[in-house]
Amino acid sequence: MKQEHERRVETLLDDIKQLTKEMRLQELLINYTIPPEFQELIEKHILWNEEIGEWQLHYVAYTGNNMRQRTPTPPPQAFEQFDTDLEMVYWTYGNVAPAPKKKRKKYRL
């Protein structure tokens, strides 16, 4: 029973070491990529959601591409006006093969 207890303690200590290592790496990445003033701003507006088990950032819907004005896609009929004959667009050289390279004479001095 004592050996089992020691094994459990060792396992827990190993888990703590691994989690500490991962946390330090994440903190390093965060500190390297996000300026401190923005970290404070994020910490002010973040809340833990028990229902889904995730952190949620308020007002994220009002950021980045979510606020970009959407451009409507043109209807399929708009593309029908273009001529699909692209024969003159692409130029080819036919069966013209490059001329073989001439061998150079080597001169010895």
Side-chain angles (χ1 to χ4, degrees):
M1 185 145 176
K2 188 175 183 180
Q3 289 176 344
E4 185 180 332
H5 176 70
E6 288 177 7
R7 214 175 329 119
R8 286 184 183 177
V9 169
E10 281 184 36
T11 305
L12 290 173
L13 289 174
D14 288 341
D15 289 346
I16 290 171
K17 285 180 185 177
Q18 182 65 27
L19 290 172
T20 303
K21 186 177 179 182
E22 290 177 14
M23 189 174 72
R24 285 182 184 161
L25 177 62
Q26 289 179 0
E27 285 178 352
L28 179 70
L29 290 172
I30 289 170
N31 291 334
Y32 184 75
T33 57
I34 303 174
E37 61 270 10
F38 289 111
Q39 289 180 22
E40 292 174 13
L41 185 64
I42 290 169
E43 288 173 4
K44 285 181 186 176
H45 296 284
I46 199 165
L47 291 174
W48 177 256
N49 187 338
E50 280 292 330
E51 293 176 8
I52 60 174
E54 289 182 357
W55 289 98
Q56 288 186 325
L57 184 62
H58 286 282
Y59 309 112
V60 76
Y62 302 112
T63 61
N65 289 338
N66 293 331
M67 292 304 294
R68 184 177 56 121
Q69 198 172 29
R70 305 263 187 236
T71 55
T73 56
Q77 297 85 9
F79 295 108
E80 291 176 3
Q81 66 185 354
F82 297 110
D83 187 20
T84 56
D85 184 23
L86 301 175
E87 187 176 306
M88 296 302 296
V89 176
Y90 299 102
W91 296 89
T92 63
Y93 294 102
N95 292 331
V96 179
K101 293 183 180 179
K102 294 180 182 179
K103 292 185 178 180
R104 293 185 179 183
K105 293 182 181 179
K106 294 184 180 179
Y107 297 102
R108 290 189 179 180
L109 297 178

